[in-house]
Amino acid sequence: MPPFLANAARQLPLALVWAAALWPVLLWLVHARDPVAAVRLAQGAASAWSAAWPWALGSAIATAALYPPAPAFVRRALHRSRQTLLLDQQALLLRLADLRQFETAARHLEVGRMLRQARKHEQAIPHLGRAVELDETMAGGWHQLGLALFALHQWPAAARCCERAEALDPGHAFGDALLVFGRCLFMVKDDRALATLEEHARRHGGGPRSWLWLAEARARAGDSSGAVAALRQAAQKPTVALSPEDGWFRALARVRLWGKGGRA
């Protein structure tokens, strides 16, 4: 999916919330100019909704039943929107005030992590960059900076950061630094990608995301049977509840198994 379409899809749930919140304001503005027009607008919207909602509901149920990524995408998008909305602004302001009083790498890392977890990656990068500037041995700072750059599709820079985190602390973040490093190499078509992802699988096992990424790397290398095996690992029925992110990758793997021995 092109980046602009992917970004629009991620923002859709939040846009729908804003649209619902602004609807009464729109009616009030129209009513202030023409009360009759406001009534007609409300009646027209109600009629359109009455006619459309059964079809929308039926289409949603059919899509969810027939195409696993659809409900997984909605769940992930809602989770990401919730992360953005739940940023504790007061706590963030306190951390920023602390930074103005006394600047440390740890404080920049804390602020950067808060912003990144709220999906404010552009705002997080300056703080995370300053954290590793103040303390070049901070594996967590390099990892968080790599994740922020990764989210913005800045693959080469993200690869350098995650490689540095892994070098400073092998197995950092339960192998996530190594995994993201491998994915960045894959995205820039670096020949080391497959070996890196295979190493991650050997050392750390994996979940739906890592197995799907390994499947893609194996497929690119021409190992179709290995790719299918990794897809089956990614798509297998979980024994514990999956996060929205892992649920999304598992759903993708299930679809990609269609025609390759069935779906998990």
Side-chain angles (χ1 to χ4, degrees):
M1 181 182 293
F4 73 95
L5 287 179
N7 184 63
R10 285 193 295 268
Q11 299 300 325
L12 180 60
L14 189 58
L16 292 176
V17 172
W18 276 107
L22 291 175
W23 173 245
V25 178
L26 175 63
L27 283 179
W28 179 79
L29 290 173
V30 174
H31 182 271
R33 292 181 60 87
D34 186 345
V36 175
V39 172
R40 289 176 178 170
L41 178 62
Q43 291 176 338
S47 297
W49 172 248
S50 297
W53 79 261
W55 292 99
L57 180 61
S59 298
I61 293 174
T63 301
L66 298 175
Y67 191 63
F73 172 83
V74 172
R75 183 176 175 232
R76 185 181 72 154
L78 290 173
H79 175 71
R80 290 184 168 187
S81 297
R82 184 172 179 269
Q83 286 180 307
T84 301
L85 291 171
L86 291 183
L87 173 63
D88 190 336
Q89 293 290 345
Q90 184 176 2
L92 177 61
L93 291 174
L94 288 173
R95 301 298 185 278
L96 291 171
D98 290 341
L99 265 178
R100 287 191 290 270
Q101 295 294 325
F102 184 63
E103 183 186 37
T104 67
R107 286 180 175 181
H108 274 293
L109 174 59
E110 186 177 9
V111 170
R113 183 184 285 111
M114 290 177 67
L115 290 168
R116 192 194 65 76
Q117 289 176 345
R119 309 200 63 76
K120 298 182 182 295
H121 305 293
E122 295 90 345
Q123 297 177 37
I125 286 173
H127 289 284
L128 297 170
R130 182 59 176 158
V132 298
E133 182 181 348
L134 291 171
D135 183 358
E136 294 183 353
T137 66
M138 179 182 284
W142 287 109
H143 179 223
Q144 291 293 318
L145 180 57
L147 292 177
L149 292 165
F150 182 86
L152 298 176
H153 297 179
Q154 297 183 29
W155 316 121
R160 289 192 294 271
C161 292
C162 289
E163 184 179 25
R164 185 68 180 275
E166 178 65 17
L168 288 167
D169 179 22
H172 182 75
F174 304 100
D176 190 67
L178 182 64
L179 174 63
V180 176
F181 174 53
R183 181 61 175 181
C184 289
L185 294 177
F186 176 85
M187 296 305 294
V188 299
K189 298 182 179 179
D190 190 304
D191 292 339
R192 296 174 295 164
L194 177 57
T196 303
L197 293 170
E198 293 282 11
E199 180 184 357
H200 176 272
R202 285 193 300 271
R203 289 169 51 188
H204 303 287
R209 178 180 61 153
S210 61
W211 284 115
L212 179 65
W213 287 353
L214 179 57
E216 291 178 353
R218 286 176 175 175
R220 179 183 286 177
D223 182 6
S224 57
S225 61
V228 171
L231 283 176
R232 286 180 177 146
Q233 288 283 349
Q236 66 183 349
K237 188 174 181 179
T239 57
V240 296
L242 294 178
S243 69
E245 292 292 330
D246 279 342
W248 163 248
F249 286 105
R250 177 176 180 259
L252 290 179
R254 290 177 63 196
V255 168
R256 293 182 191 182
L257 277 173
W258 290 352
K260 298 181 178 66
R263 56 179 176 172

